[in-house]
Amino acid sequence: QVQLVESGGGLVQGGGSLRLSCAASGRTFNSAAMGWFRQAPGKEREFVATISWSGSSTAYADSVKGRFTISRDNAKNTVSLQMNSLKPEDTAVYYCASAPTRWVSTRSYEYNYWGQGTQVTVSS
């Protein structure tokens, strides 16, 4: 019952910043943990960040820790990913996902709803 739509992807120079947004609809959004995953060309999908239903707890992949920040606004039914100090290796399609738990989740199989993805390209 949760539908997710990502936006905000684009082309940015290395060292720059980009903010991704995910608009959610559905009755269970406020009770769902949210996450961001990414998939680069020729690579497997990998975990990026997750946030609990209340926004009080977060977790990040080591590769983005200190550079990316996940947040949510339940009143607006949105979750965001602020990406700073971007590197070429951050280039990927980024996916927003919802998990049927109030707590954080880093496991892709626990997520049951996914957005269509948004392309992020970081130039050298």
Side-chain angles (χ1 to χ4, degrees), residues 1-3 24-32 77:
Q1 294 181 343
V2 177
Q3 296 176 319
S25 62
R27 297 173 58 187
T28 62
F29 175 78
N30 287 354
S31 297
N77 288 349

PDB file of all heavy atoms in Angstrom, residues 1-3 24-32 77:
ATOM      1  N   GLN A   1       0.820  -1.212   0.000  1.00  0.00           N
ATOM      2  CA  GLN A   1       0.000   0.000   0.000  1.00  0.00           C
ATOM      3  C   GLN A   1       0.852   1.260   0.000  1.00  0.00           C
ATOM      4  O   GLN A   1       0.307   2.370   0.037  1.00  0.00           O
ATOM      5  CB  GLN A   1      -0.925   0.005   1.197  1.00  0.00           C
ATOM      6  CG  GLN A   1      -1.975  -1.094   1.176  1.00  0.00           C
ATOM      7  CD  GLN A   1      -2.890  -1.025   2.383  1.00  0.00           C
ATOM      8  OE1 GLN A   1      -2.588  -0.385   3.375  1.00  0.00           O
ATOM      9  NE2 GLN A   1      -4.006  -1.719   2.287  1.00  0.00           N
ATOM     10  N   VAL A   2       2.165   1.109  -0.018  1.00  0.00           N
ATOM     11  CA  VAL A   2       3.076   2.242  -0.026  1.00  0.00           C
ATOM     12  C   VAL A   2       3.616   2.433  -1.436  1.00  0.00           C
ATOM     13  O   VAL A   2       4.101   1.490  -2.060  1.00  0.00           O
ATOM     14  CB  VAL A   2       4.239   2.046   0.960  1.00  0.00           C
ATOM     15  CG1 VAL A   2       5.209   3.218   0.874  1.00  0.00           C
ATOM     16  CG2 VAL A   2       3.712   1.905   2.380  1.00  0.00           C
ATOM     17  N   GLN A   3       3.541   3.648  -1.928  1.00  0.00           N
ATOM     18  CA  GLN A   3       4.079   4.010  -3.225  1.00  0.00           C
ATOM     19  C   GLN A   3       5.146   5.080  -3.036  1.00  0.00           C
ATOM     20  O   GLN A   3       4.950   6.030  -2.276  1.00  0.00           O
ATOM     21  CB  GLN A   3       2.979   4.503  -4.160  1.00  0.00           C
ATOM     22  CG  GLN A   3       1.956   3.427  -4.497  1.00  0.00           C
ATOM     23  CD  GLN A   3       0.826   3.936  -5.347  1.00  0.00           C
ATOM     24  OE1 GLN A   3       0.320   5.038  -5.130  1.00  0.00           O
ATOM     25  NE2 GLN A   3       0.421   3.145  -6.323  1.00  0.00           N
ATOM     26  N   ALA A  24       6.256   9.730  -0.613  1.00  0.00           N
ATOM     27  CA  ALA A  24       5.576   8.488  -0.278  1.00  0.00           C
ATOM     28  C   ALA A  24       4.088   8.712  -0.116  1.00  0.00           C
ATOM     29  O   ALA A  24       3.636   9.774   0.314  1.00  0.00           O
ATOM     30  CB  ALA A  24       6.145   7.888   1.002  1.00  0.00           C
ATOM     31  N   SER A  25       3.347   7.696  -0.462  1.00  0.00           N
ATOM     32  CA  SER A  25       1.911   7.695  -0.231  1.00  0.00           C
ATOM     33  C   SER A  25       1.510   6.324   0.292  1.00  0.00           C
ATOM     34  O   SER A  25       2.096   5.308  -0.080  1.00  0.00           O
ATOM     35  CB  SER A  25       1.137   8.038  -1.503  1.00  0.00           C
ATOM     36  OG  SER A  25       1.367   7.071  -2.515  1.00  0.00           O
ATOM     37  N   GLY A  26       0.533   6.310   1.166  1.00  0.00           N
ATOM     38  CA  GLY A  26       0.089   5.061   1.744  1.00  0.00           C
ATOM     39  C   GLY A  26      -0.188   5.196   3.223  1.00  0.00           C
ATOM     40  O   GLY A  26       0.420   6.032   3.908  1.00  0.00           O
ATOM     41  N   ARG A  27      -1.042   4.360   3.705  1.00  0.00           N
ATOM     42  CA  ARG A  27      -1.494   4.451   5.090  1.00  0.00           C
ATOM     43  C   ARG A  27      -0.417   4.082   6.104  1.00  0.00           C
ATOM     44  O   ARG A  27      -0.480   4.512   7.257  1.00  0.00           O
ATOM     45  CB  ARG A  27      -2.707   3.545   5.291  1.00  0.00           C
ATOM     46  CG  ARG A  27      -3.917   3.929   4.471  1.00  0.00           C
ATOM     47  CD  ARG A  27      -5.011   2.899   4.601  1.00  0.00           C
ATOM     48  NE  ARG A  27      -5.420   2.715   5.984  1.00  0.00           N
ATOM     49  CZ  ARG A  27      -6.270   1.785   6.403  1.00  0.00           C
ATOM     50  NH1 ARG A  27      -6.804   0.944   5.527  1.00  0.00           N
ATOM     51  NH2 ARG A  27      -6.585   1.697   7.682  1.00  0.00           N
ATOM     52  N   THR A  28       0.584   3.296   5.691  1.00  0.00           N
ATOM     53  CA  THR A  28       1.568   2.771   6.630  1.00  0.00           C
ATOM     54  C   THR A  28       2.869   3.543   6.675  1.00  0.00           C
ATOM     55  O   THR A  28       3.791   3.150   7.377  1.00  0.00           O
ATOM     56  CB  THR A  28       1.889   1.300   6.315  1.00  0.00           C
ATOM     57  OG1 THR A  28       2.474   1.201   5.005  1.00  0.00           O
ATOM     58  CG2 THR A  28       0.632   0.454   6.378  1.00  0.00           C
ATOM     59  N   PHE A  29       2.972   4.657   5.938  1.00  0.00           N
ATOM     60  CA  PHE A  29       4.240   5.357   5.851  1.00  0.00           C
ATOM     61  C   PHE A  29       4.789   5.766   7.213  1.00  0.00           C
ATOM     62  O   PHE A  29       5.977   5.589   7.497  1.00  0.00           O
ATOM     63  CB  PHE A  29       4.123   6.592   4.949  1.00  0.00           C
ATOM     64  CG  PHE A  29       5.373   7.416   4.914  1.00  0.00           C
ATOM     65  CD1 PHE A  29       6.453   7.024   4.147  1.00  0.00           C
ATOM     66  CD2 PHE A  29       5.481   8.593   5.656  1.00  0.00           C
ATOM     67  CE1 PHE A  29       7.618   7.775   4.110  1.00  0.00           C
ATOM     68  CE2 PHE A  29       6.638   9.347   5.625  1.00  0.00           C
ATOM     69  CZ  PHE A  29       7.707   8.940   4.855  1.00  0.00           C
ATOM     70  N   ASN A  30       3.959   6.324   8.070  1.00  0.00           N
ATOM     71  CA  ASN A  30       4.426   6.821   9.359  1.00  0.00           C
ATOM     72  C   ASN A  30       4.889   5.718  10.301  1.00  0.00           C
ATOM     73  O   ASN A  30       5.535   6.004  11.308  1.00  0.00           O
ATOM     74  CB  ASN A  30       3.340   7.654  10.031  1.00  0.00           C
ATOM     75  CG  ASN A  30       3.146   9.004   9.382  1.00  0.00           C
ATOM     76  OD1 ASN A  30       3.894   9.385   8.490  1.00  0.00           O
ATOM     77  ND2 ASN A  30       2.132   9.731   9.843  1.00  0.00           N
ATOM     78  N   SER A  31       4.578   4.482   9.992  1.00  0.00           N
ATOM     79  CA  SER A  31       5.006   3.349  10.802  1.00  0.00           C
ATOM     80  C   SER A  31       6.114   2.543  10.142  1.00  0.00           C
ATOM     81  O   SER A  31       6.478   1.479  10.634  1.00  0.00           O
ATOM     82  CB  SER A  31       3.818   2.436  11.113  1.00  0.00           C
ATOM     83  OG  SER A  31       2.841   3.113  11.880  1.00  0.00           O
ATOM     84  N   ALA A  32       6.652   3.048   9.048  1.00  0.00           N
ATOM     85  CA  ALA A  32       7.623   2.301   8.267  1.00  0.00           C
ATOM     86  C   ALA A  32       9.016   2.915   8.371  1.00  0.00           C
ATOM     87  O   ALA A  32       9.190   4.125   8.256  1.00  0.00           O
ATOM     88  CB  ALA A  32       7.200   2.248   6.801  1.00  0.00           C
ATOM     89  N   ASN A  77       5.190  13.351   4.317  1.00  0.00           N
ATOM     90  CA  ASN A  77       5.361  12.034   3.701  1.00  0.00           C
ATOM     91  C   ASN A  77       6.558  12.002   2.753  1.00  0.00           C
ATOM     92  O   ASN A  77       6.465  11.544   1.612  1.00  0.00           O
ATOM     93  CB  ASN A  77       4.094  11.602   2.960  1.00  0.00           C
ATOM     94  CG  ASN A  77       2.973  11.229   3.896  1.00  0.00           C
ATOM     95  OD1 ASN A  77       3.158  11.088   5.105  1.00  0.00           O
ATOM     96  ND2 ASN A  77       1.780  11.051   3.339  1.00  0.00           N
TER      97      ASN A  77
END
